[in-house]
Amino acid sequence: MDVNELVKVLQSEIGQTRDELGPVVDTLAGAADGDPSLAEAAQRYATQVERMSTAAEFVGLAGLANACMRMKDAALALTAADADARRSTREFLIAWPNLVYEYLDAPTDFARSEALVAQLAEGPARLSTAEGVSLMQALAAPPQLPADLMQEST
């Protein structure tokens, strides 16, 4: 299986994951302060995003793996935010898997990389300009399969 096929498999998985995240986001954004379901929802969201990161790393998309881990941290940080702040992040949380899905259509397209970085910059865990530029460069880099996978595909 070549890298493009692996990216398409990852994209398919992201498509399924984004459907599963809707109810999780509703709980995360709508839970009252102190509600035990808040921590559970944050953990479920973070776990799904971490899975995206692991899969991205597997197919050689180090920039996406890094971006996903930043998103995971942002989701977990929401447990410390008040209910109003969490409600305001609903669209931010819903948009993430959609942006990742679109990015995977053309991982080296600078505009798609820029959209992911802009999303992270708007979220609860702000990026510095230097972090954003570095992440954008990593996202726009062509996939680099790990050496063991490169040997298997030849």
Side-chain angles (χ1 to χ4, degrees), residues 28-87:
L28 186 53
D33 292 337
D35 186 334
S37 67
L38 172 61
E40 181 183 323
Q43 187 58 52
R44 284 185 61 205
Y45 190 94
T47 297
Q48 290 293 354
V49 174
E50 184 173 23
R51 286 180 56 220
M52 290 179 200
S53 175
T54 301
E57 191 170 358
F58 178 77
V59 300
L61 295 168
L64 181 58
N66 182 340
C68 286
M69 292 309 289
R70 288 177 176 275
M71 187 62 184
K72 173 192 169 196
D73 292 344
L76 291 173
L78 289 173
T79 59
D82 66 29
D84 289 335
R86 286 193 312 278
R87 270 190 293 281

Side-chain angles (χ1 to χ4, degrees), residues 65-145:
N66 182 340
C68 286
M69 292 309 289
R70 288 177 176 275
M71 187 62 184
K72 173 192 169 196
D73 292 344
L76 291 173
L78 289 173
T79 59
D82 66 29
D84 289 335
R86 286 193 312 278
R87 270 190 293 281
S88 71
T89 63
R90 185 181 187 293
E91 294 307 313
F92 169 78
L93 295 168
I94 287 291
W96 181 254
N98 294 322
L99 288 170
V100 171
Y101 187 88
E102 291 168 13
Y103 164 82
L104 290 170
D105 273 336
T108 58
D109 179 8
F110 191 78
R112 292 171 196 245
S113 300
E114 188 176 41
L116 285 171
V117 171
Q119 179 71 4
L120 285 171
E122 294 295 317
R126 305 271 184 213
L127 295 174
S128 71
T129 301
E131 290 171 322
V133 168
S134 177
L135 183 56
M136 201 172 314
Q137 290 170 339
L139 282 162
Q144 297 292 316
L145 281 179

